[in-house]
């Protein structure tokens, strides 16, 4: 938990205006990878993953998994070259190409089942006659064929962190049910009413931090949600979130959450069940005009499938400062720096992790080694980091403010 009780921040009209001035525009958020509109069909298509290595499939991967006649011909030429056979021609060449491609897939499957390295052509160890492109394909899909038991992979008996023991030249796409991807990646805008008592008001600003694990499909999955009031520092919500999907692991090293913790919370019913319920719980204190604050907030909003119009990301503020500092440095690396340029050089090397910035700006230690992250600590650190910027940089009356790249003061 935090080293000491959070200090309240004065809720003055001037401070609220400065807070509002720090909100990023939709154009900037879009450029930084934020989801500000529902995903398009093409964007949903890019969410498809390999069932073995969990990699998101690129356009190139998908083209090769659904090969045209050109791709089939190339595959056959590689295979024939390694066996010293001329490229097949004639009226039945198309059928031969299709059959050859199928044989390559079968051989690869056999090689995988035997646990041995696969060649890019036929899956047999020691085949060194394939061309360079074929050898590169050897590493395309790397995975463990077993499951994790007692922190060991059943396929190779190695630790869960061990490198994959199997590989194939092709990915194996997950077979999604109709509408499954659309449902999983459906984003929701903050509603006008969160189901609260109409007599109660939403928070003016909150700091948010989430912890995520990894689902069986390889997606980042919400497992804890924390909301802290910006002005009082009070914890408005802090709960484990039992996932809707089967989990590969809970990223315990960073999240601090174990499978046992989650199962115990489920048994005692002290957790929130599912992402949708977590989102609704947050909406009880966050309204459509509430300012939400976080460090690298994009990942938190992604895990919640949430679109919100008023966002302050302290990582983006720090990125602007580093960008401005780099712009002030001379292009010639051998040029002697003056005192101002030396300060800019130090700023340009500033680490952007919340842990580093909390120590640099706030003189606060968080995310201690071996203890995992505490989302209450991290939410408070993001809150106080923004307050530091409001006091020292963003507020117009601050003499130390410098112009940002988009006209906002940072």
């Amino acid at each position: 938990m935090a080293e000491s009780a959070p200090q309240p921040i004065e809720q003055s009209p001037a401070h609220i205006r400065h807070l509002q001035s720090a909100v990023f525009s939709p154009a900037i958020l879009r450029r930084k990878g934020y989801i500000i509109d529902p995903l398009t069909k093409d964007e949903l298509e890019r969410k498809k993953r390999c069932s073995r290595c969990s990699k998101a499939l690129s356009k190139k991967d998908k083209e090769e998994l659904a090969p045209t006649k050109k791709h089939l011909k190339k595959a056959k030429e590689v295979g024939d070259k390694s066996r010293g056979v001329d490229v097949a021609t004639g009226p039945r060449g198309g059928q031969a190409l299709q059959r050859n491609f199928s044989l390559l897939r079968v051989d690869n499957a056999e090689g995988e089942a035997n646990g041995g390295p696969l060649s890019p052509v036929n899956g047999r160890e020691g085949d060194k006659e394939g061309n360079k492109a074929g050898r590169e394909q050897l590493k395309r899909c790397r995975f463990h064929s077993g499951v994790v038991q007692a922190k060991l992979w059943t396929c190779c008996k190695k630790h869960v962190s061990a490198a994959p023991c199997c590989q194939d030249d092709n990915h194996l796409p997950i077979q999604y049910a109709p509408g499954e991807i659309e449902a999983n990646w459906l984003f929701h805008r903050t509603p006008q009413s969160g189901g609260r008592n109409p007599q109660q008001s939403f928070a003016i600003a909150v700091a948010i931090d989430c912890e995520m694990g990894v689902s069986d499909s390889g997606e980042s999955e919400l497992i804890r949600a924390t909301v802290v009031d910006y002005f009082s520092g009070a914890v408005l919500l802090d709960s484990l979130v039992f996932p809707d999907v089967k989990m590969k692991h809970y990223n315990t090293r960073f999240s601090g959450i174990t499978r046992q913790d989650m199962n115990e919370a489920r048994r005692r019913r002290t957790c929130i069940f599912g992402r949708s319920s977590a989102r609704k719980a947050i909406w009880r204190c966050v309204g459509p005009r509430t300012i939400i604050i976080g460090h690298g907030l994009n990942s938190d909003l992604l895990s919640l499938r949430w679109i919100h119009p008023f966002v302050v990301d302290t990582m983006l503020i720090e990125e602007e400062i580093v960008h401005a500092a780099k712009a002030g440095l001379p292009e010639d690396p051998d040029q002697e720096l003056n005192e101002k340029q030396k300060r800019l050089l130090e700023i340009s090397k500033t680490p952007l992790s919340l842990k580093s910035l909390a120590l640099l700006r706030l003189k606060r230690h968080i995310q201690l080694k071996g203890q995992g992250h505490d989302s209450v600590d991290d939410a408070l650190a993001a809150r106080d980091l923004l307050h530091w910027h409001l006091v020292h940089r963003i507020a117009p009356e601050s003499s130390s403010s410098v112009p940002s790249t988009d006209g906002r003061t940072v």
Side-chain angles (χ1 to χ4, degrees), residues 90-107:
R92 300 185 60 185
Q95 295 178 3
L97 294 177
Q98 181 65 56
R99 184 169 60 254
N100 181 74
F101 185 81
S102 300
L103 288 173
L104 297 183
R105 298 294 296 272
V106 170
D107 285 342

Side-chain angles (χ1 to χ4, degrees), residues 48-68:
K48 293 184 177 180
R49 289 176 174 266
C50 174
S51 62
R52 299 183 297 197
C53 68
S54 299
K55 175 188 172 185
L57 300 179
S58 66
K59 183 177 180 181
K60 180 180 178 182
D61 291 326
K62 292 167 187 171
E63 287 177 348
E64 293 178 352
L65 288 168
T68 62

Side-chain angles (χ1 to χ4, degrees), residues 100-265:
N100 181 74
F101 185 81
S102 300
L103 288 173
L104 297 183
R105 298 294 296 272
V106 170
D107 285 342
N108 278 335
E110 290 174 350
E112 176 191 330
N114 294 331
L118 304 175
S119 81
V121 176
N122 56 20
R124 296 188 178 90
E125 184 176 0
D127 188 348
K128 300 184 182 299
E129 296 180 27
N131 61 14
K132 182 178 179 181
R135 288 196 296 271
E136 290 174 351
Q137 291 179 4
L138 179 66
K139 299 181 180 180
R140 182 176 297 153
C141 183
R142 292 177 291 176
F143 58 98
H144 286 282
S145 60
V147 296
V148 177
Q149 292 183 356
K151 297 185 178 181
L152 297 177
W153 286 103
T154 56
C155 48
C156 60
K157 306 302 180 185
K158 293 183 179 180
H159 189 263
V160 63
S161 61
C165 59
C166 301
Q167 52 189 334
D168 195 357
D169 59 338
N170 288 301
H171 291 292
L172 187 64
I174 295 174
Q175 298 300 310
Y176 296 93
E180 181 180 353
I181 289 183
E182 291 81 358
N184 184 40
W185 288 99
L186 178 62
F187 280 77
H188 303 262
R189 298 184 188 277
T190 312
Q192 293 299 312
S193 172
R196 302 172 58 97
N197 183 332
Q199 302 301 317
Q200 295 177 316
S201 60
F202 295 111
I204 295 173
V206 297
I208 291 178
D209 188 77
C210 297
E211 300 296 339
M212 279 75 79
V214 178
S215 71
D216 262 10
S217 65
E219 301 287 356
S220 180
E221 194 70 29
L222 177 70
I223 57 175
R224 182 179 178 181
T226 300
V227 181
V228 173
D229 184 77
Y230 175 78
F231 289 104
S232 69
V235 178
L236 304 179
L237 173 70
D238 180 38
S239 176
L240 295 182
V241 180
F242 194 87
D244 298 310
V245 298
K246 188 176 180 181
M247 298 294 289
K248 183 175 293 183
H249 61 80
Y250 286 92
N251 208 17
T252 304
R253 176 184 172 189
F254 298 104
S255 71
I257 300 168
T258 65
R259 192 175 294 272
Q260 182 179 354
D261 293 335
M262 191 65 75
N263 289 336
E264 182 69 11

Side-chain angles (χ1 to χ4, degrees), residues 261-322:
D261 293 335
M262 191 65 75
N263 289 336
E264 182 69 11
R266 181 190 187 188
R267 185 180 69 83
R268 294 179 178 273
R269 303 193 72 80
T270 56
C271 60
I272 296 172
F273 289 87
R275 179 197 304 142
S276 177
S277 296
R279 199 168 50 240
K280 291 176 182 177
I282 293 174
W283 287 344
R284 294 191 185 101
C285 52
V286 173
R289 298 196 63 81
T290 300
I291 297 171
I292 60 174
I293 300 149
H295 192 78
L297 190 57
N298 189 23
S299 60
D300 302 306
L301 294 179
L302 278 173
S303 72
L304 286 158
R305 305 295 192 268
W306 180 16
I307 298 173
H308 190 77
F310 301 103
V311 170
V312 181
D313 190 333
T314 51
M315 178 180 285
L316 300 188
I317 292 175
E318 296 286 351
E319 284 181 356
E320 288 183 343
I321 294 170
V322 171

